[in-house]
Amino acid sequence: MAEDVRCGIPSDRLAGYAAYFGIPIELLADQGRASNDEALLAALFAAREEAVTPQFALWKNLGADFRRQYCADNTDAYMASLLQVLRGVHLLHLLYPPAREIHRGCLQIRGVDGQALNGRGSLFHQGEALPFVAGVSRFGGNLHLTCHFRDSRLLGRLMTEDPLRHFALSRRKPFYLDWLGVGDCLSGPATCAFMQCHTERLEAVKGQNPDELFRQSCLAVRRQAGPVPGDP
């Protein structure tokens, strides 16, 4: 294609290239446009994203609207404010009702990755650590926490009220959030399960490395006996 563009090609072949990549023909016909031009790259990546979008009605009808709303809800300014509230290491207590076993873990919110906060965590089950990666974003009036376990077999999604909506929520000491969600079962039949989760941020000592605090917290949680129903 590059040779065709350089040597000059019929407009119908150029139109074919544009149709194949899903971009306006003007982006290819402009001889003054470099191959790394920002507008051209943006159009190519947008077309690729559209091409891999699952082809069923909900995505086809709501995909573009969802992306616009998601971008509006997760601006750079909002992400910076949310990071100020959530950054740090949080203790995690997870319950799968009606089961009464309480699972403990740690979650570290580390920074901003595009239009979401990124983090990592570890959940302890039957003495084993289950590491996961996490992302936090807003949609409407709620925060969404997505946890993808590194074995690529477990996925969880939790929701809670956006703490930035209310001054009192964001200023809690200690700061905590209560989440509700669904995810894959840790044990038993391979089915989805309802989840209740409580997270509480640890107050770091001034100058303490947050990665070291996360490591120490994971070790401490792993060594502790699991809580039982009735514990505070």
Side-chain angles (χ1 to χ4, degrees), residues 155-166:
L155 179 69
R157 190 173 186 92
L158 297 133
M159 296 172 59
T160 191
E161 187 175 12
D162 180 4
L164 294 183
R165 294 182 63 189
H166 303 291

Side-chain angles (χ1 to χ4, degrees), residues 106-200:
C106 296
L107 169 68
Q108 181 187 14
I109 301 299
R110 310 179 79 177
V112 179
D113 184 7
Q115 291 173 305
L117 301 185
N118 67 67
R120 61 174 177 167
S122 192
L123 187 64
F124 299 96
H125 176 62
Q126 297 180 349
E128 296 295 325
L130 300 175
F132 61 87
V133 293
V136 181
S137 58
R138 176 177 65 164
F139 197 78
N142 297 307
L143 292 188
H144 293 246
L145 169 65
T146 301
C147 300
H148 183 223
F149 289 80
R150 293 179 184 171
D151 65 357
S152 299
R153 295 178 60 85
L154 294 171
L155 179 69
R157 190 173 186 92
L158 297 133
M159 296 172 59
T160 191
E161 187 175 12
D162 180 4
L164 294 183
R165 294 182 63 189
H166 303 291
F167 179 83
L169 294 183
S170 63
R171 300 297 179 181
R172 287 169 170 166
K173 288 190 180 297
F175 177 78
Y176 69 90
L177 289 170
D178 290 316
W179 306 75
L180 297 174
V182 294
D184 297 305
C185 272
L186 287 178
S187 59
T191 183
C192 63
F194 173 66
M195 298 187 295
Q196 293 177 304
C197 182
H198 177 84
T199 58
E200 183 174 313

Side-chain angles (χ1 to χ4, degrees), residues 54-71:
Q55 296 300 305
F56 56 94
L58 182 64
W59 283 72
K60 292 174 67 176
N61 296 335
L62 299 181
D65 290 338
F66 174 84
R67 285 193 290 270
R68 282 193 292 270
Q69 184 62 50
Y70 182 90
C71 291

Side-chain angles (χ1 to χ4, degrees), residues 67-85:
R67 285 193 290 270
R68 282 193 292 270
Q69 184 62 50
Y70 182 90
C71 291
D73 281 344
N74 296 279
T75 62
D76 292 344
Y78 173 79
M79 284 287 107
S81 297
L82 186 63
L83 182 62
Q84 291 298 314
V85 175

